[in-house]
């Protein structure tokens, strides 16, 4: 049995997932006492890769009252995926130090480079230790729809919860986050409420599924409609085509960057449609390169060429392409790269 | 200076308001340590009237990790408004018992009977004690637009935050909650974040107002558009007419109930468009009356006459009319009441 809920986006999906994780771990009266309980263990902790702290988790732990120190950053490997061996070691050390781990977060398409963690390894660690595994697939969970990529997602089916944003890769209008869970009972334990003006009806069989009992909101828009309509219109195969088109653009960009003497590769071949790299004509130090890349992205944006933003990858300012729109072509990508070179000089 | 934010609805507005209140009160590193800080005082508490525990606050304190025990219910008066004298006494007693009050919640249109608290008195208590005053006006804050009702809202302008739902009385489509605050700095202190892929641009003057820095969400729909369009279409005076029409219907209902020998008045003349009462032909005990009123509301709903739900007022099952739609007429109200009588017998 599984359960699903439409939410506003990745932030609320991650917030809800962590609240479910907390509900499963809590040995005290969580609804009544919250984190104020005198019986709460000293430091509840969550684990994720160190290379990209997605701001949705900052917002989630802020909102949940856990605090940002609750997030423990695990070393990532050269391909930007979390190191499961380092995770295991950190868990041992933290438990020895008196902390209480309760959740592991894996990424299926990280925000800056589109990395997909080894979800199977994470599921193994989570199961062995009784921790909640949440897969944040805001950017990339839907890539599992592609048979040729499915092996990259092995283990996602063992996660306790998975989230993705239909308003990203699926092109559905804002706001349209999706939260899935293999534990519907935990959804109700985390979010169940009652009130005299809500639950007094004897015809309970008519109200078997109250969405307000499964997530943070009461009043809710009809988000399912736009997803259903988009799926009816494009079909799963249509979406597979869109996904392949955007991934092809990202790979094309990678090939161009690899071949260009004045651009620098900073990540392996892209797993998905997100790709970071930087302009580097040589002879400049890191500070100058950071400033130059910031200026290039600004010029590209201000002149209306494209909406490219910078990010930091291992501390260096990089160009970040997020080719989520299937109408983007190889020619567009080539043109933006050429415009960047022009604006740099 | 003030600040505003569109959110999903009353639940998220109340959640955000309480998070702001907490941010102002916290003497420890709230972003870093959350409620897990060893320096957090023993029991943080919030105060609101006892007669209606709106479920949005249950969801808010759940989500924020405060726990439901954080809400302290203050005795209400015969007209269902909070008793400010009892509030003051409870605050003294709670502080003496080691609790740390940090917020008072006033209602401008309570969920079951549309009661409007004495907001001026609450503002006085809040200011004297340095507590945050949040006015939950989900149902009724907009009544302050009516000159003839404005005196009922005196003190609302002294609140630290006020919320209302444009998807209720304004008839704007779901989801459309509104949060206002007199303390923009606290909005940022409660919700401010940064990330490398968000804030690296030197053209800061172009991004002076990032909504994700002022509320729980990152990706956000364009909720302002539907409010702006509705206001352009109807105008403030148009809305005043709608509000008056619905209040007139509620008063008409009250007059009918008062005049009917087989219906029972349970609240004073309605302040707004929400009105609770019950069917009571005499000769039945409370349990039988509860069952009968539940059955009546179910029959009305199942036969498609109207969408009337029951609620509990001071423990008794009542019919609850929420005449939020300005297209409802006196004739509609009369017809539903007559249908209720038929279905009861």
């Amino acid at each position: 049995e599984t359960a699903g809920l439409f939410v506003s986006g990745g932030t609320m999906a991650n917030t809800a997932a962590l609240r479910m994780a907390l509900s499963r771990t809590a040995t005290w009266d969580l609804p009544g006492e919250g984190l104020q309980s005198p019986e709460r263990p000293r430091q509840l902790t969550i684990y994720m890769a160190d290379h990209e702290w997605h701001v949705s988790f900052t917002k989630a732990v802020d909102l949940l009252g856990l605090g940002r120190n609750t997030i423990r950053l695990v070393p990532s490997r050269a391909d930007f995926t979390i190191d499961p061996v380092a995770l295991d070691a950190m868990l041992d050390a933290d438990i020895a130090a008196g902390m209480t781990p309760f959740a592991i977060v894996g990424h299926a398409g990280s925000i800056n480079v589109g990395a997909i963690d080894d979800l199977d390894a994470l599921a193994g660690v989570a199961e062995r230790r009784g921790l909640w595994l949440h897969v944040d697939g805001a950017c990339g969970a839907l890539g599992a729809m592609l048979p040729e990529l499915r092996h990259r997602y092995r283990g996602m089916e063992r996660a306790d919860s998975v989230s993705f944003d239909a308003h990203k890769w699926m092109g559905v209008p804002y706001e349209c986050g999706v939260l899935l869970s293999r534990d519907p009972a935990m959804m109700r334990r985390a979010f169940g409420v009652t009130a005299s003006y809500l639950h007094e009806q004897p015809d309970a069989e008519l109200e078997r599924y109250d969405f307000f009992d499964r997530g943070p909101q009461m009043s809710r828009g009809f988000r399912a409609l736009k997803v259903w309509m988009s799926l009816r219109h494009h079909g799963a195969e249509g979406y597979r085509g869109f996904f392949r088109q955007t991934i092809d653009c990202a790979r094309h960009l990678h090939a161009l960057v690899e071949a260009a003497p004045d651009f620098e590769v900073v990540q392996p071949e892209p797993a998905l449609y997100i790709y970071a790299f930087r302009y580097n004509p040589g002879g400049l130090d890191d500070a100058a390169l950071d400033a130059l890349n910031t200026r290039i992205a600004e010029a590209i944006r201000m002149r209306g060429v494209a909406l490219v933003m910078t990010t930091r990858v291992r501390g260096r300012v990089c160009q970040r392409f997020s080719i989520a729109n299937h109408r983007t072509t190889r020619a567009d990508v080539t043109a933006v790269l050429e415009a960047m070179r022009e604006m740099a000089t």
Side-chain angles (χ1 to χ4, degrees), chain A:
Chain A
E1 202 191 349
T2 57
L5 188 77
F6 286 100
V7 294
S8 54
T11 299
M12 205 47 68
N14 290 336
T15 301
L18 294 181
R19 176 73 189 176
M20 280 193 281
L22 195 58
S23 293
R24 192 169 74 183
T25 298
T27 51
W28 69 94
D29 174 18
L30 180 63
E33 301 178 340
L35 297 172
Q36 300 198 70
S37 171
E39 284 150 57
R40 175 184 55 74
R42 200 175 63 77
Q43 179 66 34
L44 295 154
T45 46
I46 299 165
Y47 297 78
M48 50 190 282
D50 66 356
H51 80 286
E52 292 166 357
W53 176 309
H54 191 268
V55 74
S56 66
F57 286 100
T58 311
K59 296 193 87 73
V61 297
D62 277 1
L63 202 61
L64 292 170
L66 288 162
R68 298 177 191 183
N69 296 348
T70 216
I71 298 186
R72 304 282 294 154
L73 296 176
V74 182
S76 55
R77 300 180 287 197
D79 65 354
F80 300 95
T81 61
I82 191 171
D83 181 343
V85 177
L87 167 65
D88 228 23
M90 189 181 276
L91 283 164
D92 283 336
D94 283 0
I95 291 166
M99 298 182 191
T100 306
F102 72 97
I104 297 171
V105 175
H107 278 96
S110 65
I111 189 75
N112 282 332
V113 299
I116 303 172
D117 284 331
D118 182 346
L119 304 175
D120 211 44
L122 294 185
V125 175
E127 281 164 19
R128 204 162 57 245
R129 294 178 179 264
L131 304 178
W132 186 277
L133 174 62
H134 172 62
V135 172
D136 180 357
C139 298
L142 289 170
M145 283 172 66
L146 296 175
E148 67 270 28
L149 282 190
R150 195 157 297 154
H151 64 285
R152 300 294 307 272
Y153 293 86
R154 198 154 60 87
M156 191 162 76
E157 74 286 355
R158 294 162 70 192
D160 296 286
S161 55
V162 175
S163 59
F164 65 91
D165 283 346
H167 61 227
K168 288 195 170 80
W169 217 3
M170 281 185 84
V172 164
Y174 280 141
E175 309 163 351
C176 205
V178 179
L179 177 63
L180 304 173
S181 177
R182 286 199 300 128
D183 196 343
M186 204 51 61
M187 235 172 191
R188 292 203 67 169
R189 206 204 287 181
F191 293 105
V193 291
T194 187
S196 57
Y197 55 94
L198 291 173
H199 270 307
E200 290 283 338
Q201 314 313 329
D203 51 336
E205 72 280 3
L206 294 175
E207 307 184 29
R208 269 170 299 197
Y209 207 97
D210 289 324
F211 290 101
F212 65 80
D213 255 356
R214 283 154 174 91
Q217 287 184 231
M218 294 293 301
S219 298
R220 313 175 72 245
F222 188 7
R223 296 193 177 96
L225 180 65
K226 52 193 178 188
V227 174
W228 181 82
M229 287 178 75
S230 298
L231 276 170
R232 290 284 292 178
H233 184 67
H234 299 301
E237 203 48 40
Y239 272 113
R240 286 191 190 99
F242 298 162
F243 298 161
R244 286 181 180 124
Q245 165 71 11
T246 60
I247 292 172
D248 179 68
C249 282
R251 289 182 181 167
H252 172 66
L253 175 59
H254 177 61
L256 292 178
V257 169
E258 270 195 317
D262 51 351
F263 282 98
E264 181 187 345
V265 167
V266 302
Q267 72 170 88
E269 180 168 79
L272 300 168
Y273 60 95
I274 298 170
Y275 185 72
F277 61 100
R278 68 173 177 170
Y279 184 73
N280 184 353
L284 295 174
D285 65 16
D286 271 341
L289 281 174
D290 285 355
L292 177 57
N293 277 278
T294 301
R295 190 169 63 70
I296 291 171
E298 188 195 354
I300 289 286
R301 214 164 53 246
M302 290 297 116
R303 295 189 200 175
V305 177
L307 180 61
V308 175
M309 309 269 287
T310 59
T311 192
R312 279 183 190 269
V313 176
R314 307 248 194 249
R316 299 175 299 183
V317 173
C318 294
Q319 310 297 329
R320 173 179 173 269
F321 273 44
S322 174
I323 310 170
N325 191 326
H326 64 275
R327 278 176 285 186
T328 305
T329 63
R330 283 186 168 218
D332 294 329
V333 169
T334 304
V336 178
L337 203 73
E338 280 167 8
M340 286 186 155
R341 182 176 285 136
E342 277 169 43
M343 283 161 196
T345 52

